[in-house]
Amino acid sequence: MSYRLYYWTGLQGRGEFVRLCLEDVAAPYVDVAREDGDEVMNAFLDGEEAGALPFAPPFLTSGRLVIAQVANILQYLGPRHGLVPDSESARLYANQLQLTVTDLVAEVHDTHHPVASGLYYKDQRDEAKRRAKDFRENRIPKFLGYFEKALSRGGGKHPLRTHSYVDLSLFQVMAGLDYAFPKAMAKQKLPLLRDLAKRVADRPHVAAYLASDRRVPFNTNGIFRHYPELDG
Amino acid sequence: MSYRLYYWTGLQGRGEFVRLCLEDVAAPYVDVAREDGDEVMNAFLDGEEAGALPFAPPFLTSGRLVIAQVANILQYLGPRHGLVPDSESARLYANQLQLTVTDLVAEVHDTHHPVASGLYYKDQRDEAKRRAKDFRENRIPKFLGYFEKALSRGGGKHPLRTHSYVDLSLFQVMAGLDYAFPKAMAKQKLPLLRDLAKRVADRPHVAAYLASDRRVPFNTNGIFRHYPELDG
């Protein structure tokens, strides 16, 4: 049985955290909107499909299940594909770390859209400059310092002491921040996160995915956007 | 065995979503910082305690487990106290709905802190006015319209067809938004959410809690803040 992933075409966005899991374990999946167009998601979002009602993409279908919210999807996939340890304490911790990634990703989005998602960036550029300055100076060190500490606590290689979906998400966070804020990121000392990101990128299925045309390049439609004026 | 809840004193904040669950089921718990001061949280946040490393309060300890992130805590408490149905599909849906509450709560916070959590409100009031206008006009209708539709889909009384931690959180969202944005909320037509909020407030343990001094009144230190200039 094949998973069906629903997410906006043309950008990595939040869908990428799910895609990296599916690719890492070579799970069969259809990237539905990329095959049939974004409008295939409307029936779900409008409540015309059975099952859970998604608030927004990404969502995944697995048989009759409809599963939305990235951390929820990863928590579903993790145990099925060996992407999270078995113990309750480790699963709770994985989910907690993933929800902290979720919080960081929302803050990244708001560096370029601090006023309204529905307005263009150019119409909130002044506010974005202020917010991005705080993000670079305070939030990047706080979040990445936290994950660095979590890695150290897990023995240095993995926050959960073994490969998990959290590792894949931390790779994506580092890749995205390096793209969006290269100057700010060059100032961070994050040896464990840097090493983790490299090890994830070298995993055979991940490396093949990153080299494929399924990996949409970062661009200024996604969550991680490079606007030089926001990088200080 | 008693749970130990760790959250900032003097405000409801994100801790309130956990507190409402514990109170609704009359679970024994100690509200640790309220007894011993906020500094008791530092040992956990600084990594000096065993178990999962929290990024921020609230966190809950249950025996040796340390559990942070509101949706993660509720997902832990839910099955233990009959606050979520048994089926996998219902639990995934509950978590998905709760994560959408999380997203909404973050947006509420950013109506008064659109630039930086570390700055005073008065130093970002202009940006706050712009962000709050969009929040009132677009985000409140979108989020609450979604939850109204989820209620309708669940038969009108509960999104999960039975009482759950999601109901308790939706009560808190409605109470908080009514406090912070009374004029904007008066314009919303949300019969199912209004009815749900009333039924939750009338649950015996919840009613007793709301009438007690354990329920800190809403104030301008919390997530939900009433600044008239942000209510249009």
Side-chain angles (χ1 to χ4, degrees):
Chain A
M1 189 202 62
S2 184
Y3 296 115
R4 294 172 69 80
L5 172 64
Y6 293 80
Y7 194 66
W8 307 114
T9 54
L11 62 155
Q12 293 182 15
R14 290 182 168 86
E16 198 68 9
F17 295 93
V18 181
R19 223 173 258 127
L20 280 167
C21 284
L22 296 169
E23 294 281 350
D24 183 51
V25 300
Y29 75 102
V30 181
D31 210 323
V32 186
R34 286 197 186 160
E35 299 213 345
D36 301 328
D38 285 348
E39 60 280 2
V40 299
M41 301 191 285
N42 291 344
F44 289 91
L45 298 169
D46 293 344
E48 292 158 13
E49 296 278 349
L53 181 70
F55 180 73
F59 50 93
L60 184 83
T61 65
S62 171
R64 288 179 161 197
L65 288 174
V66 181
I67 311 162
Q69 285 277 3
V70 169
N72 196 38
I73 299 171
L74 301 190
Q75 192 174 238
Y76 172 80
L77 292 174
R80 282 163 184 76
H81 297 284
L83 284 175
V84 71
D86 282 336
S87 73
E88 179 183 40
S89 61
R91 289 192 182 175
L92 286 164
Y93 194 22
N95 189 42
Q96 171 189 317
L97 290 163
Q98 190 64 43
L99 291 174
T100 307
V101 168
T102 301
D103 289 345
L104 170 55
V105 168
E107 293 199 21
V108 171
H109 171 271
D110 281 9
T111 58
H112 48 78
H113 278 75
V115 173
S117 311
L119 290 179
Y120 289 113
Y121 166 63
K122 69 178 173 54
D123 296 324
Q124 49 196 312
R125 193 182 285 138
D126 289 345
E127 293 90 342
K129 284 183 189 169
R130 273 195 86 188
R131 177 138 187 169
K133 180 172 190 291
D134 180 72
F135 182 75
R136 293 191 313 268
E137 293 176 1
N138 297 307
R139 304 304 281 172
I140 285 181
K142 184 172 167 77
F143 274 104
L144 298 189
Y146 167 76
F147 289 121
E148 187 80 7
K149 201 193 275 185
L151 269 165
S152 168
R153 199 172 166 96
K157 296 293 187 190
H158 312 277
L160 297 168
R161 298 190 177 272
T162 183
H163 178 63
S164 74
Y165 64 76
V166 176
D167 290 17
L168 297 168
S169 289
L170 290 176
F171 157 78
Q172 177 66 6
V173 161
M174 293 298 286
L177 290 174
D178 279 342
Y179 163 74
F181 301 99
K183 286 165 63 181
M185 286 295 283
K187 293 178 195 159
Q188 311 298 317
K189 288 216 176 83
L190 302 162
L192 299 179
L193 275 170
R194 289 273 167 222
D195 178 63
L196 171 68
K198 190 177 175 326
R199 283 183 286 109
V200 169
D202 287 342
R203 289 174 65 83
H205 290 141
V206 173
Y209 168 64
L210 296 177
S212 76
D213 60 7
R214 299 192 302 288
R215 173 80 164 182
V216 173
F218 285 111
N219 60 44
T220 49
N221 293 319
I223 302 279
F224 296 101
R225 301 189 185 187
H226 180 57
Y227 295 122
E229 64 272 25
L230 300 188
D231 192 23
Chain B
M1 188 201 65
S2 185
Y3 297 114
R4 294 171 69 79
L5 172 64
Y6 293 80
Y7 194 67
W8 306 114
T9 55
L11 63 155
Q12 293 182 15
R14 290 182 170 86
E16 198 67 10
F17 295 93
V18 181
R19 224 173 257 125
L20 280 166
C21 284
L22 296 168
E23 294 281 351
D24 182 51
V25 299
Y29 75 102
V30 181
D31 210 324
V32 186
R34 286 197 186 161
E35 300 212 344
D36 301 329
D38 286 347
E39 59 281 3
V40 298
M41 301 192 284
N42 292 344
F44 289 91
L45 298 169
D46 294 344
E48 293 158 13
E49 296 279 349
L53 181 70
F55 180 74
F59 51 92
L60 184 84
T61 64
S62 171
R64 290 180 160 196
L65 288 174
V66 181
I67 311 163
Q69 284 277 1
V70 169
N72 196 37
I73 299 171
L74 301 190
Q75 193 174 238
Y76 173 79
L77 292 174
R80 282 163 183 76
H81 297 284
L83 283 175
V84 71
D86 283 335
S87 73
E88 177 182 43
S89 61
R91 290 193 181 173
L92 286 165
Y93 194 22
N95 188 43
Q96 172 189 317
L97 290 163
Q98 191 64 43
L99 291 174
T100 307
V101 169
T102 301
D103 289 344
L104 170 56
V105 167
E107 293 199 19
V108 170
H109 171 271
D110 281 10
T111 58
H112 47 79
H113 278 74
V115 172
S117 311
L119 291 178
Y120 289 113
Y121 166 63
K122 68 178 173 53
D123 295 323
Q124 50 196 310
R125 194 183 284 139
D126 290 344
E127 292 90 343
K129 284 184 189 169
R130 274 195 86 188
R131 176 137 187 169
K133 180 172 192 290
D134 179 72
F135 182 75
R136 295 191 310 270
E137 294 177 359
N138 296 306
R139 304 304 281 172
I140 286 181
K142 184 172 168 77
F143 274 104
L144 299 189
Y146 167 76
F147 289 121
E148 187 79 7
K149 201 194 277 187
L151 270 164
S152 169
R153 200 172 166 95
K157 296 294 185 188
H158 312 277
L160 297 168
R161 298 190 176 273
T162 184
H163 178 64
S164 74
Y165 64 75
V166 176
D167 290 16
L168 297 167
S169 289
L170 289 175
F171 157 79
Q172 177 66 6
V173 161
M174 293 297 287
L177 290 173
D178 280 341
Y179 163 74
F181 301 100
K183 287 165 62 180
M185 285 296 282
K187 294 179 195 160
Q188 311 298 318
K189 289 216 175 82
L190 302 163
L192 299 178
L193 276 169
R194 289 274 167 224
D195 178 63
L196 172 68
K198 192 176 175 325
R199 282 183 286 111
V200 169
D202 287 343
R203 290 175 65 83
H205 291 140
V206 173
Y209 168 64
L210 296 177
S212 76
D213 59 7
R214 299 192 302 288
R215 173 80 164 181
V216 173
F218 284 111
N219 60 44
T220 49
N221 294 319
I223 302 279
F224 296 100
R225 301 189 185 187
H226 180 57
Y227 295 123
E229 64 273 25
L230 301 188
D231 192 23

